[in-house]
Amino acid sequence: MKYATLLEYAFQALKNSYAPYSRFRVGAALLSDDGEVVTGCNVENASYGLSMCAERTAVFRAVAQGVKKFDAIAVVSGKVNPVYPCGACRQVLREFNPRLTVVVAGPGKKPLTTSLDKLLPKSFGKESLRRR
Ligand code: THU
């Protein structure tokens, strides 16, 4: 699938964002290795700290559906400047693919593509837990 298409899914998900407190709407779309797309949006709460980011919403939805092998994630917000996943989401994404492709774009802006290992270098993961 083209990343432009994955971004379209992310923009669709953005419409469902529930962000009445920050008014910062985010949408994400995860692409699995077999071409499946699972989307997420941020979901805020009156108890602010319970809010969930779009990226983790997408990951948890995917895993609950039995999808755990991801090739790429597209992340978009309602703002002009592109949004990269926050630190917590980087760590959660890293669990499933340390080299995940990350595509970001603002509305009407040229997409930027990077890799999760650039966003989260020298990361901690399941390999670190292995006994030697
Ligand atoms: N947010 C995301 O959904 N993803 C990010 O990568 C950055 C932040 C959400 C969390 C909160 O609902 C709002 O954006 C403002 O931080």
Side-chain angles (χ1 to χ4, degrees):
M1 174 182 294
K2 292 203 168 123
Y3 293 147
T5 309
L6 193 62
L7 279 163
E8 279 172 28
Y9 277 100
F11 276 116
Q12 282 301 320
L14 174 71
K15 292 183 189 165
N16 294 326
S17 160
Y18 178 73
Y21 306 108
S22 72
R23 306 222 169 263
F24 191 81
R25 294 152 64 81
V26 185
L30 267 173
L31 178 65
S32 78
D33 66 340
D34 58 4
E36 203 172 327
V37 176
V38 182
T39 60
C41 61
N42 56 333
V43 182
E44 296 187 348
N45 192 275
S47 179
Y48 298 166
L50 302 183
S51 301
M52 183 49 63
C53 292
E55 298 91 324
R56 275 178 287 162
T57 304
V59 171
F60 299 150
R61 267 187 91 187
V63 173
Q65 289 173 22
V67 180
K68 284 193 284 283
K69 288 184 180 164
F70 309 122
D71 285 346
I73 187 167
V75 184
V76 300
S77 83
K79 307 280 176 197
V80 178
N81 286 334
V83 169
Y84 286 97
C86 79
C89 290
R90 291 176 197 199
Q91 182 65 31
V92 169
L93 290 164
R94 186 250 180 260
E95 180 75 17
F96 300 101
N97 182 357
R99 278 178 285 279
L100 186 76
T101 296
V102 179
V103 188
V104 297
K109 283 231 176 169
K110 208 174 154 238
L112 304 170
T113 302
T114 186
S115 172
L116 187 59
D117 54 4
K118 294 214 174 79
L119 299 177
L120 193 70
K122 302 194 196 325
S123 62
F124 179 83
K126 48 193 161 196
E127 307 78 15
S128 316
L129 295 174
R130 261 187 219 128
R131 262 187 263 184
R132 298 200 292 132

